C-alpha cells in the first residue's frame, strides 16, 4: 500500500487557507500555489541519496555531501498542475519537465487524454506528478499508468488538496506510488468537486472564470 504523507507545516496551512478564500484573486492564488509547492518539495525529496565529496572552503579542505544518483522529472497534469512546477524547479532547477494533458468529461467525470510529452530519459528519473486537486483520482491514476507504460517505476504524486475517494483510488490502483498532500478534505460533492476544496484550480490559476 502506498504511503499518504500529509505535509501540515504551519506555513503551508496558512497559505492554503488564503487560497481557499473565494475572494483570493488569480495573481495571489498562483503565487501561493508556487510557494506551497516549493515547501512541499522539501518533503517529497527528503530521502534523495547523498554522497561525500572533497571540497575546499575559504578556510580548509573538507568532506561535504551532495545529492547523487537520482535525477528528477516533474510531470504536471495539464492544466492546473502547471501551477506547481515553478515551485519545485526553484528547489531543483535541473529537474526536467514533461506534460500530460487530461480533461474531465463533465458528464461522466472521467478523464480524457489529449497530450503527452515526456523527457527522453524519464524512465531513469524520480518522477513527481503534480496536480493541485486529487478529487476522484481518475486523472492521477491515468497519468501514473501512462508513465508506467513508458518504463517509469519511481513515481510520487504531489497534490495540494485530496478527497478520501481519490486517495483510496490511487492507493488501490497504484499501491507503489506515495501520495503527498497539504490537506485531506471531507468528501466529493455530486459534481465530483472537493468539499470544502478551493474551487476549480485551473480556472483560479489562469483567471478563466
Amino acid at each position: 500500500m502506498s504511503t499518504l504523507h500529509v505535509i501540515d507545516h504551519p506555513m503551508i496551512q496558512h497559505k492554503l487557507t488564503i487560497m481557499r478564500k473565494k475572494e483570493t484573486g488569480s495573481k495571489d492564488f498562483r503565487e501561493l500555489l508556487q510557494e506551497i509547492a516549493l515547501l512541499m518539495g522539501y518533503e517529497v525529496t527528503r530521502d534523495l541519496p547523498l554522497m561525500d565529496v572533497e571540497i575546499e572552503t575559504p578556510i580548509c579542505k573538507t568532506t561535504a555531501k551532495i545529492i547523487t544518483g537520482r535525477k528528477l522529472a516533474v510531470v504536471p497534469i495539464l492544466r492546473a498542475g502547471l501551477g506547481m512546477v515553478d515551485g519545485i524547479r526553484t528547489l531543483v532547477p535541473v529537474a526536467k519537465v514533461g506534460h500530460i494533458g487530461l480533461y474531465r468529461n463533465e458528464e461522466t467525470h472521467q478523464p480524457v487524454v489529449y497530450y503527452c510529452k515526456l523527457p527522453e530519459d524519464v524512465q531513469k528519473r524520480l518522477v513527481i506528478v503534480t496536480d493541485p486537486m486529487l478529487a476522484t483520482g481518475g486523472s492521477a491514476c491515468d497519468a501514473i499508468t501512462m508513465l508506467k507504460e513508458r518504463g517509469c517505476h519511481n513515481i510520487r504524486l504531489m497534490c495540494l488538496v485530496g478527497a478520501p475517494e481519490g486517495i483510496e483510488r490511487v492507493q488501490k490502483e497504484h499501491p507503489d506510488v506515495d501520495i503527498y498532500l497539504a490537506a485531506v478534505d471531507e468528501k466529493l460533492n455530486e459534481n465530483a468537486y472537493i468539499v470544502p476544496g478551493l474551487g476549480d484550480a485551473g480556472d483560479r490559476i489562469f483567471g478563466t472564470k
Side-chain angles (χ1 to χ4, degrees):
M1 178 66 70
S2 68
T3 302
L4 172 63
H5 306 264
V6 180
I7 306 170
D8 56 358
H9 188 283
M11 290 303 301
I12 291 177
Q13 297 308 300
H14 175 81
K15 293 173 186 294
L16 177 57
T17 296
I18 299 172
M19 290 182 69
R20 288 188 191 272
K21 293 180 179 180
K22 64 180 181 180
E23 64 266 26
T24 299
S26 289
K27 177 180 180 294
D28 290 338
F29 191 94
R30 264 194 319 273
E31 292 175 351
L32 288 162
L33 180 57
Q34 291 175 11
E35 291 168 9
I36 292 176
L38 169 61
L39 294 171
M40 291 182 70
Y42 281 101
E43 292 300 319
V44 178
T45 58
R46 173 177 285 278
D47 62 348
L48 292 180
L50 296 170
M51 65 177 291
D52 291 332
V53 294
E54 295 293 328
I55 65 169
E56 188 168 355
T57 76
I59 307 302
C60 65
K61 291 183 178 180
T62 188
T63 300
K65 295 185 181 297
I66 61 170
I67 294 171
T68 180
R70 186 174 293 179
K71 298 177 180 178
L72 266 65
V74 185
V75 179
I77 299 175
L78 302 178
R79 61 186 168 142
L82 286 171
M84 304 176 78
V85 172
D86 286 348
I88 299 175
R89 293 194 84 189
T90 298
L91 183 66
V92 190
V94 297
K96 291 188 177 180
V97 180
H99 300 87
I100 292 178
L102 298 167
Y103 68 88
R104 185 171 69 167
N105 183 301
E106 293 301 326
E107 294 182 0
T108 66
H109 305 307
Q110 296 303 307
V112 180
V113 180
Y114 65 88
Y115 186 75
C116 182
K117 180 72 173 179
L118 302 170
E120 288 185 358
D121 62 347
V122 68
Q123 71 279 359
K124 299 177 182 178
R125 295 175 176 266
L126 166 61
V127 181
I128 302 173
V129 177
T130 63
D131 194 351
M133 314 301 286
L134 179 57
T136 65
S139 294
C141 285
D142 280 11
I144 293 167
T145 297
M146 292 171 69
L147 288 165
K148 288 182 175 179
E149 289 173 350
R150 287 157 176 79
C152 299
H153 53 83
N154 194 356
I155 304 168
R156 297 177 185 182
L157 176 63
M158 176 176 159
C159 304
L160 199 62
V161 175
E165 296 91 332
I167 295 167
E168 181 180 359
R169 180 169 175 179
V170 173
Q171 289 183 323
K172 180 180 179 181
E173 295 188 19
H174 297 287
D176 56 332
V177 175
D178 282 3
I179 303 168
Y180 294 80
L181 297 174
V184 177
D185 277 13
E186 180 184 344
K187 62 181 180 180
L188 297 178
N189 66 14
E190 64 278 5
N191 294 316
Y193 279 98
I194 300 174
V195 178
L198 43 74
D200 187 304
D203 285 335
R204 297 193 69 186
I205 290 166
F206 297 107
T208 46
K209 269 191 181 177

